[in-house]
Amino acid sequence: MKKTLREVAKDRIIILDGAMGTMIQQYGLEEEDFRGYRYRKTPGMMKGNNDMLNITRPDVISDIHRKYLEAGADIITTNTFSSQRISQADYHLEDSARTMALEGARLARKAADEFSTEERPRFVVGSVGPTNKTCSMSPDVSNPAARDLDYMTLYTDYVEQIEALEEGGADAILIETVFDTLNAKAAIDATMEVGRRTGKDLPIMLSITVSDLAGRTLSGQTLDAVLASVSSYPIFSIGLNCSFGADQMKPFLKQLAHRAPYYISAYPNAGLPNSLGAYDETPESMAPQIQEFIDEGLVNIIGGCCGTTEKFIAKYVPIAEGKKPHVPQPKPQTMWLSGLELLDVTPDVRFVNVGERCNVAGSRKFLRLIKEKSYDEAVSIARKQVADGALVIDVNMDDGLLDAREEMRTFLNIIASEPDIAKVPVMIDSSKWDVITAGLQCMQGKCIVNSISLKEGEEVFLSHARDVMRYGAAVVVMCFDEIGQATTYERRIEIAGRAYKLLTEKVGMNPLDIIFDPNVLAIATGMEEHDNYAVDFIRAVEWIKTNLPGAHVSGGVSNLSFSFRGNNYIREAMHSVFLYHAIGKGMDFGIVNPATKVTYDEIPADQLEIIEDVVLNRKKDASERLVELADEIKQKQEALKNGMATGTGATQAAAEPEWRKADVATRLATALQKGIADYMEEDIKEALAVYPKAVDIIEGPLMDGMNKVGELFGCGKMFLPQVVKTARTMKKAVAILQPYIEADKKEGGSLSGKVLMATVKGDVHDIGKNIVDVVMSCNNYEMIDLGVMVPAEQILKKAIEEKVDMVGLSGLITPSLEEMVNVATEFEHAGLQIPIMVGGATTSEMHVALKIAPIYSGIVVWVKDAAQNPMIAQRLMNPEERLVFEAELKERYAKLREEYAAHQQKLSSLDEARKNKLELF
């Protein structure tokens, strides 16, 4: 029996055909060839509409298929790239689109069957292009909400095309030249629908087109974001085509191969087009480049795009023969979400802060702006949420006087044109299912649906869950059922357990895409039955994380303090205490105000005790004591407004806070820790009179503040949005100091050296790198800053171009460690010996000793903080001192490796540990 495409892919590298358009051009066809008799009277020019040749010149298309099959192609693609109504509308041939697709598939099927054998089966994949329109971008620069095309129109036309391709004999569907992931999602949706209707397994192949050297699609997504967008779908293969030749494509192909849990395809152009639009690469020059893809284990499927012919394919066949195909990466063990960029919810993230202010039900200002159609100002609220540290934006348009569906569409389309907002995922929030689906049909990224529940029964719940999967989203599941809202621990876990079973077993949802909301309810209301709500929520969090593997937990945190409306300090303090304990038990999402000012660590001890008594329900009179505290604070604030008091403790809103009485160094460090920039200018002016140089202020009190922030973040007493606030405060401080730093530099004389800095690929954090940049500049080093998310190839290229003396790599999150190893590997392959300085929150000397130093023959130095960089750089720039330093490092790293190995030997295996367990019974 002939093997299927899925079976063949496991065994060997598969050869795809080359370009169709390039081959058609060789036949010298004229207008009459395209029209044939059937379309002799159709208005407009037909030449160039290659898909109609399936009807008017089937002999040409069949001949091209046979040439590729004779050259050794395992897969031929149908000549149906534009065989849908949207593209054919340009030729007034919408009603012929289905026939083009059907005949295109039949021609390819017939040719493939002629060459197919038991030992060497040949396959047909139905080519589905992106159309000439996009669902994610506006055609009108003055109206960002406008769209030429909507999701359901595209989906309907794709269903018609893909049904015809399946009927004509396609073995799989190739959704290619993807420049807008929302268009691709519509094609995936259509393919899955056709599969359901026909009962046929249609493997889904995706091929992305990168539009620039930054590695983004035309609609702005990174490749990692694209992977997140399609992570809920049953993808067979993903890869790259068009835009680039093999050499330019390679770094992006490596990126896909290192992350994607699918087979990898690549069919590049024959180089980049020259000034005449032709392609200069030949089969002989391309083959070695394709061989690199194969030898490095990057691909499972190879072929050609623009400019390639059967002669190219013939060269690829022998170099793939007997070679080991790429092994797909394991499925991700963390939740992937995306806007224009990936949000990988790793343990490093700890808590995903969902911005709450773009909600007409929760923000009067936002509601007013939407009602007034003041979209620019409404967008500024979303922008501020992201700037304040929101990792996800919640959008809700549920109001009786609004057309919620239309407003959701409009607002999501507008923010899609704002890269600083669109980079983060969106939580589409509504109690109306048609509003949620309308929102999902606007988003190319992987969104979160808020929410579904069992309150209308299992049938509706399952239907909504299948819609969530259809649009490739994650979902919040509220702990409601047919009886009502869960308010006790027992009811919360009962509903969560039931919903989890339905979603994972009946719908097939990935547990990582499930976020339970066990209902944050108001406490300290004066009703005793409410007193344990927070405790029961926290207990439910722990149960969910223990018993429902992969699932996440969220909640609307502001509900907790509803009884204290009007007293923001008490509310924020309650939220901080609640989050501290809930996050400790596994709560990893929350709808909160990212601009919150009160952190757990800074709540005075006497107040903390009262608030924890309330949140944890430790004492009977806790609520009364909290009410008294709230009244006391309110009275002091009112007194301050009337000029009757100076204020202390928590009455900081209207008076100069207590920490302002400290010396200038302590004030600067504290301001940084709290993320308060209000006094920065006056404090820095005072500090300039105390410290000899401006850089001393950075290396002293400001670094002290940053180190304290790192310490609090590490032990869970600060969360990422608060860290982002401190980073902004630091940037303001550096900006104030910059003129003084520049003046100091002019006095310093000649350059000390040239340093290249970058935050590695996958990491968007830059505050540490920016501090190093300033400190090194102050020591007369020329600094070249490549920014954040920088691929290894760009770092390598720039280091060589600029002939730098050393390279600094920065990263805050754990995946950055692996990427630093990747950078060092690329440097080693290039034969470089440039010293590399490594720094950032997750880096360590042990990691450098174990993972980086052994694979790089140059010097690698771990730098604990920015203040150390100039001293290390000075040693590296002195030829004699450099040799001494290198020997010291080698000795130090060898000792660390020995210590690590000795420690590992002391650890028992799991089986040995079980044998040695303490027998108590």
Side-chain angles (χ1 to χ4, degrees):
M1 186 177 176
K2 190 177 83 169
K3 284 186 175 181
T4 65
L5 182 60
R6 294 187 191 277
E7 290 168 332
V8 172
K10 295 175 184 176
D11 300 332
R12 61 183 175 85
I13 292 171
I14 298 172
I15 306 297
L16 184 70
D17 60 8
M20 177 61 73
T22 303
M23 294 288 281
I24 288 172
Q25 288 172 15
Q26 295 179 359
Y27 288 78
L29 302 180
E30 299 296 336
E31 178 73 11
E32 294 74 24
D33 294 296
F34 283 86
R35 285 181 175 277
Y37 181 79
R38 180 169 179 171
Y39 299 108
R40 65 192 185 283
K41 294 183 179 179
T42 304
M45 180 177 285
M46 296 296 129
K47 188 176 180 180
N49 186 6
N50 291 342
D51 293 28
M52 70 189 301
L53 296 172
N54 297 334
I55 300 169
T56 58
R57 288 299 305 269
D59 56 317
V60 171
I61 304 306
S62 294
D63 192 43
I64 292 170
H65 286 322
R66 291 191 185 97
K67 285 180 179 178
Y68 279 125
L69 289 162
E70 286 168 355
D74 298 301
I75 295 175
I76 52 172
T77 52
T78 58
N79 179 40
T80 57
F81 187 84
S82 299
S83 296
Q84 28 59 26
R85 289 174 178 269
I86 293 162
S87 297
Q88 290 304 319
D90 290 350
Y91 299 96
H92 311 287
L93 296 179
E94 299 97 312
D95 291 339
S96 293
R98 190 184 192 282
T99 306
M100 291 178 195
L102 179 61
E103 293 306 315
R106 284 174 173 168
L107 293 173
R109 179 77 273 159
K110 186 173 185 294
D113 288 347
E114 288 172 12
F115 284 80
S116 191
T117 65
E118 193 85 11
E119 299 75 30
R120 188 73 183 270
R122 309 297 179 99
F123 303 99
V124 172
V125 297
S127 170
V128 175
T131 80
N132 50 7
K133 295 180 179 178
T134 166
C135 290
S136 288
M137 293 181 284
S138 172
D140 181 354
V141 70
S142 63
N143 182 9
R147 293 293 182 270
D148 256 346
L149 181 64
D150 67 85
Y151 182 97
M152 287 310 296
T153 300
L154 180 57
Y155 164 78
T156 303
D157 289 355
Y158 271 149
V159 167
E160 182 180 61
Q161 178 185 13
I162 293 164
E163 274 187 329
L165 291 171
E166 187 279 330
E167 183 183 333
D171 297 296
I173 299 299
L174 174 60
I175 301 162
E176 59 180 332
T177 320
V178 173
F179 60 78
D180 178 353
T181 313
L182 187 54
N183 285 35
K185 286 165 86 171
I188 294 168
D189 188 5
T191 305
M192 293 172 68
E193 175 60 23
V194 171
R196 280 189 291 270
R197 292 180 186 178
T198 62
K200 184 174 179 180
D201 173 31
L202 284 174
I204 298 170
M205 304 168 68
L206 275 187
S207 190
I208 316 298
T209 289
V210 173
S211 66
D212 57 38
L213 289 173
R216 291 181 183 264
T217 62
L218 185 65
S219 58
Q221 278 198 307
T222 65
L223 288 176
D224 285 349
V226 173
L227 284 174
S229 294
V230 301
S231 63
S232 300
Y233 300 122
I235 303 298
F236 172 72
S237 68
I238 195 163
L240 300 171
N241 77 292
C242 213
S243 287
F244 294 138
D247 187 45
Q248 297 85 4
M249 181 183 283
K250 186 178 176 184
F252 307 116
L253 191 65
K254 287 175 71 174
Q255 183 181 346
L256 274 182
H258 290 157
R259 189 180 281 272
Y262 319 114
Y263 294 121
I264 300 295
S265 65
Y267 49 113
N269 294 343
L272 295 172
N274 58 29
S275 57
L276 300 176
Y279 295 89
D280 295 329
E281 293 276 11
T282 64
E284 290 74 22
S285 65
M286 277 282 282
Q289 298 174 54
I290 297 296
Q291 186 162 356
E292 284 185 24
F293 293 178
I294 295 169
D295 291 346
E296 293 182 29
L298 300 179
V299 291
N300 302 90
I301 302 164
I302 56 165
C305 201
C306 305
T308 62
T309 64
E310 83 280 11
K311 293 176 182 177
F312 284 77
I313 302 307
K315 288 290 184 182
Y316 300 168
V317 173
I319 61 177
E321 191 69 38
K323 295 294 177 68
K324 187 178 177 183
H326 167 77
V327 178
Q329 298 299 322
K331 288 186 177 180
Q333 298 303 302
T334 53
M335 175 190 252
W336 287 359
L337 301 169
S338 64
L340 295 182
E341 296 171 5
L342 170 69
L343 173 59
D344 187 358
V345 187
T346 65
D348 292 310
V349 174
R350 189 177 289 122
F351 181 71
V352 176
N353 180 8
V354 183
E356 66 179 357
R357 307 311 297 168
C358 295
N359 183 331
V360 296
S363 168
R364 290 179 185 174
K365 180 180 179 181
F366 188 72
L367 172 61
R368 174 179 58 79
L369 294 172
I370 297 298
K371 281 183 174 178
E372 294 172 354
K373 310 292 184 187
S374 300
Y375 293 118
D376 287 348
E377 200 174 341
V379 165
S380 71
I381 292 176
R383 186 179 293 108
K384 187 175 188 305
Q385 294 272 280
V386 177
D388 283 339
L391 300 180
V392 176
I393 290 289
D394 181 85
V395 179
N396 182 300
M397 295 292 177
D398 287 357
D399 182 84
L401 299 179
L402 291 176
D403 180 345
R405 194 169 180 222
E406 188 56 35
E407 293 298 350
M408 180 66 79
R409 263 205 211 104
T410 299
F411 190 71
L412 293 181
N413 282 346
I414 291 171
I415 64 173
S417 68
E418 301 282 342
D420 50 350
I421 302 170
K423 67 182 181 181
V424 304
V426 171
M427 179 178 278
I428 300 172
D429 185 353
S430 180
S431 59
K432 301 169 185 175
W433 197 248
D434 66 324
V435 175
I436 283 175
T437 54
L440 288 168
Q441 290 167 10
C442 295
M443 303 306 296
Q444 65 172 329
K446 182 173 179 181
C447 303
I448 303 171
V449 167
N450 188 12
S451 59
I452 64 174
S453 78
L454 283 157
K455 65 183 176 184
E456 295 178 76
E458 287 189 7
E459 189 177 340
V460 171
F461 178 77
L462 293 172
S463 171
H464 288 172
R466 290 187 180 107
D467 277 351
V468 169
M469 290 191 66
R470 174 187 178 185
Y471 295 111
V475 68
V476 174
V477 181
M478 298 296 297
C479 285
F480 281 77
D481 65 6
E482 300 89 339
I483 298 170
Q485 183 180 44
T487 59
T488 65
Y489 165 72
E490 291 75 18
R491 288 270 295 137
R492 284 176 165 104
I493 67 171
E494 174 198 342
I495 295 171
R498 178 186 171 200
Y500 183 87
K501 188 176 176 69
L502 288 169
L503 291 173
T504 56
E505 295 180 9
K506 285 202 171 184
V507 181
M509 188 175 286
N510 184 345
L512 293 167
D513 289 337
I514 302 170
I515 307 167
F516 285 103
D517 184 338
N519 306 325
V520 177
L521 302 171
I523 57 174
T525 62
M527 300 175 68
E528 190 175 344
E529 59 267 33
H530 297 172
D531 290 348
N532 218 46
Y533 278 168
V535 174
D536 282 349
F537 181 97
I538 293 167
R539 287 180 65 205
V541 169
E542 186 174 25
W543 185 90
I544 289 168
K545 298 300 282 189
T546 303
N547 294 280
L548 307 180
H552 300 270
V553 184
S554 181
V557 178
S558 60
N559 295 341
L560 183 86
S561 61
F562 190 73
S563 303
F564 293 88
R565 293 186 314 281
N567 193 323
N568 284 341
Y569 174 81
I570 287 292
R571 295 196 73 178
E572 290 189 4
M574 288 176 72
H575 299 165
S576 291
V577 169
F578 174 76
L579 285 172
Y580 177 74
H581 290 284
I583 291 169
K585 295 299 182 184
M587 181 180 179
D588 42 14
F589 279 75
I591 302 177
V592 297
N593 181 1
T596 185
K597 296 174 183 174
V598 182
T599 63
Y600 180 88
D601 193 58
E602 67 182 16
I603 301 170
D606 57 333
Q607 296 176 14
L608 181 61
E609 182 182 357
I610 295 170
I611 295 168
E612 288 199 318
D613 284 346
V614 170
V615 171
L616 303 178
N617 195 19
R618 296 192 300 206
K619 294 178 183 177
K620 285 285 183 186
D621 65 341
S623 294
E624 290 80 4
R625 286 161 54 225
L626 184 58
V627 170
E628 289 171 8
L629 175 63
D631 286 343
E632 179 187 330
I633 290 170
K634 191 173 182 181
Q635 286 171 18
K636 286 183 178 178
Q637 288 173 340
E638 288 174 356
L640 287 166
K641 285 179 185 176
N642 296 325
M644 294 168 60
T646 57
T648 57
T651 62
Q652 296 167 4
E656 189 164 88
E658 188 70 25
W659 61 271
R660 296 295 303 154
K661 297 175 183 177
D663 62 84
V664 68
T666 305
R667 294 201 306 272
L668 283 168
T670 305
L672 204 61
Q673 181 188 329
K674 292 176 178 290
I676 297 172
D678 301 0
Y679 311 94
M680 194 58 74
E681 204 141 357
E682 62 185 85
D683 284 350
I684 284 178
K685 189 175 180 181
E686 183 180 337
L688 285 166
V690 177
Y691 290 86
K693 289 189 174 182
V695 72
D696 296 333
I697 299 171
I698 293 174
E699 294 180 348
L702 293 177
M703 280 304 299
D704 290 343
M706 289 301 293
N707 290 336
K708 181 65 175 175
V709 168
E711 180 188 321
L712 293 170
F713 179 63
C715 65
K717 293 182 178 179
M718 285 184 78
F719 307 111
L720 198 57
Q722 293 160 337
V723 175
V724 171
K725 277 179 66 182
T726 69
R728 286 204 312 275
T729 308
M730 183 68 169
K731 285 182 179 178
K732 180 168 183 178
V734 170
I736 295 167
L737 284 165
Q738 198 66 46
Y740 303 98
I741 290 169
E742 292 299 322
D744 289 342
K745 279 168 64 177
K746 287 175 184 175
E747 295 172 10
S750 61
L751 285 173
S752 303
K754 187 186 285 190
V755 183
L756 180 70
M757 293 289 299
T759 300
V760 295
K761 188 180 76 177
D763 200 323
V764 298
H765 303 94
D766 65 355
I767 183 59
K769 172 178 64 63
N770 293 347
I771 295 168
V772 171
D773 194 322
V774 171
V775 171
M776 292 292 281
S777 295
C778 293
N779 284 272
N780 290 318
Y781 286 88
E782 181 184 345
M783 303 301 294
I784 303 167
D785 186 354
L786 295 183
V788 301
M789 297 276 288
V790 188
E793 295 79 12
Q794 284 187 32
I795 298 171
L796 174 66
K797 184 181 177 185
K798 197 70 174 177
I800 294 171
E801 282 178 2
E802 295 288 343
K803 299 178 181 177
V804 298
D805 297 301
M806 62 200 81
V807 171
L809 302 179
S810 177
L812 178 72
I813 58 177
T814 301
S816 301
L817 300 177
E818 185 180 341
E819 185 56 29
M820 289 174 179
V821 174
N822 186 35
V823 174
T825 302
E826 292 292 323
F827 274 45
E828 183 68 18
H829 288 165
L832 299 186
Q833 295 269 302
I834 301 170
I836 297 174
M837 296 188 289
V838 169
T842 57
T843 62
S844 68
E845 191 176 27
M846 182 64 80
H847 179 263
V848 169
L850 292 174
K851 299 291 186 180
I852 306 180
I855 54 95
Y856 184 50
S857 53
I859 296 174
V860 189
V861 193
W862 176 65
V863 187
K864 186 177 180 181
D865 60 52
Q868 292 185 357
N869 281 83
M871 295 178 284
I872 290 169
Q874 190 176 19
R875 296 191 74 182
L876 292 171
M877 292 301 294
N878 183 315
E880 293 178 7
E881 190 60 30
R882 175 170 169 159
L883 293 173
V884 175
F885 189 31
E886 186 172 15
E888 289 173 3
L889 288 172
K890 285 181 178 177
E891 184 180 347
R892 173 68 180 153
Y893 293 158
K895 186 178 178 183
L896 286 170
R897 287 192 285 268
E898 287 172 12
E899 289 173 358
Y900 180 80
H903 178 69
Q904 291 299 104
Q905 287 173 3
K906 288 178 185 177
L907 295 176
S908 302
S909 69
L910 181 59
D911 289 338
E912 288 170 344
R914 284 173 174 164
K915 287 176 188 174
N916 296 330
K917 70 179 180 179
L918 181 62
E919 300 290 350
L920 295 176
F921 304 103

